[in-house]
């Protein structure tokens, strides 16, 4: 079993879906967890309660990571509460799907600002305390859409592909101080966003996936916990696909 006892983590977008699963899984493995949420206070309170119920400290922080100052405040809040940050998981993300010819400039901008710029802002903010500590784990949540592209997701695919580039560049830059940076690329995962997909499309997706099913938030959180652990100390700059074999690079 992965042991994260004594570790402290920050998860962006941690109140629902994959982010919540990651935050709770980190707590189950022994970490204290600070997570950001944009607006759903009830979901944030529930996620924090789930962390506390596991005997760990849970700190919800309302923050829009598209604002560099908010990202900085999130890291300061976690540092103030826990004294250090060992793990950062950049999970916050949105979709604004449409075909390129119909996609509004605002939809392009919003997705890039949340999924890519937001990850950069929090990564940048956490580097100083991690560099001082001469260690840390950074995990960016990318997507199969960033590896293979997806029709109707030019903005999302571009942001998630950019996140892979950010992962590799920062992994090279921070390695000398013992900080690893990796990405997890989920496939189609059952969340609030995908449960409403038409049954026909869900069937097509499972048929295209070699393992024959959708992923679960817990599948993703397990991979994140591994990359956050001491067992992954010699792994950096990598993209771990958690997609049932959908994209084989």
């Amino acid at each position: 079993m992965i042991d994260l006892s004594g570790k402290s983590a920050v998860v962006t977008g941690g109140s629902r879906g994959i982010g919540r699963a990651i935050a709770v899984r980190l707590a189950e493995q022994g970490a204290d967890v600070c997570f950001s949420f944009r607006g759903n206070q009830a979901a944030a309170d529930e996620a924090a309660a789930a962390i506390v119920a596991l005997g760990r400290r849970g700190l919800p922080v309302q923050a829009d990571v598209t604002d560099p100052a908010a990202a900085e405040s999130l890291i300061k809040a976690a540092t103030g509460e826990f004294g250090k940050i060992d793990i950062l998981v950049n999970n916050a993300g949105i979709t604004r799907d449409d075909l390129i010819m119909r996609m509004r400039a605002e939809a392009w901008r919003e997705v890039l600002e949340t999924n890519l710029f937001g990850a950069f802002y929090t990564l940048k903010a956490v580097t100083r305390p991690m560099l001082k500590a001469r260690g840390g784990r950074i995990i960016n949540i990318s997507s199969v859409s960033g590896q293979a592209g997806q029709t109707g997701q030019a903005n999302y695919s571009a942001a998630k592909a950019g996140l892979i580039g950010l992962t590799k560049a920062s992994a090279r830059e921070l390695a000398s101080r013992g900080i690893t940076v990796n990405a997890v690329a989920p496939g189609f995962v059952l969340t609030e966003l995908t449960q409403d997909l038409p049954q026909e499309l869900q069937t097509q997706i499972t048929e295209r996936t070699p393992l024959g099913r959708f992923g679960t938030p817990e599948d993703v959180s397990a991979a994140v916990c591994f990359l956050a652990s001491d067992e992954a100390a010699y792994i950096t700059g990598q993209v771990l696909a958690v997609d049932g074999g959908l994209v084989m690079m």
Side-chain angles (χ1 to χ4, degrees):
M1 176 175 166
I2 289 171
D3 185 8
L4 298 177
S5 299
K7 305 290 187 182
S8 55
V10 173
V11 180
T12 66
S15 63
R16 293 184 295 173
I18 291 173
R20 182 192 183 281
I22 291 169
V24 171
R25 185 65 167 260
L26 289 168
E28 287 175 344
Q29 309 302 132
D32 295 319
V33 184
C34 169
F35 63 89
S36 72
F37 68 100
R38 181 173 279 182
N40 191 329
Q41 186 69 55
D45 290 343
E46 190 279 329
I51 293 167
V52 171
L54 293 165
R56 308 313 312 164
R57 285 181 289 176
L59 178 65
V61 176
Q62 188 165 9
D64 183 347
V65 294
T66 65
D67 177 3
E72 189 79 41
S73 295
L74 170 66
I75 298 303
K76 286 182 178 177
T79 305
E81 180 72 15
F82 304 143
K84 62 188 176 73
I85 299 174
D86 302 292
I87 301 157
L88 168 66
V89 183
N90 278 314
N91 167 78
I94 61 170
T95 56
R96 297 286 187 269
D97 295 354
D98 211 342
L99 296 175
I100 291 171
M101 64 182 294
R102 293 204 302 253
M103 186 174 288
R104 297 175 299 108
E106 292 81 1
W108 171 267
R109 186 180 300 108
E110 287 171 5
V111 170
L112 267 290
E113 285 182 347
T114 299
N115 299 20
L116 181 56
F117 288 29
F120 168 72
Y121 296 145
T122 50
L123 189 153
K124 183 177 190 292
V126 86
T127 52
R128 191 177 301 278
M130 283 190 176
L131 287 169
K132 286 183 178 178
R134 301 189 71 85
R137 300 278 184 269
I138 299 171
I139 300 104
N140 298 319
I141 306 302
S142 182
S143 168
V144 293
S145 295
Q147 295 176 298
Q150 190 70 27
T151 300
Q153 288 195 322
N155 47 6
Y156 188 77
S157 295
K160 293 299 188 178
L163 203 50
I164 291 173
L166 175 63
T167 297
K168 293 178 179 293
S170 53
R172 289 190 182 277
E173 197 169 311
L174 301 173
S176 65
R177 293 295 185 95
I179 301 167
T180 66
V181 189
N182 293 287
V184 171
F188 290 94
V189 176
L190 280 175
T191 65
E192 293 175 12
L193 293 176
T194 55
Q195 283 175 344
D196 293 333
L197 290 174
Q199 187 58 50
E200 183 181 351
L201 181 55
Q202 291 193 35
T203 300
Q204 290 176 7
I205 290 168
T206 54
E207 288 176 349
R208 286 167 48 203
T209 303
L211 286 182
R213 68 172 176 86
F214 274 69
T216 67
E218 289 69 31
D219 290 326
V220 180
S221 66
V224 170
C225 277
F226 166 66
L227 291 173
S229 73
D230 291 340
E231 282 83 349
Y234 201 55
I235 301 172
T236 197
Q238 302 304 306
V239 181
L240 176 55
V242 183
D243 63 2
L246 187 62
V247 176
M248 298 191 188
M249 305 294 282

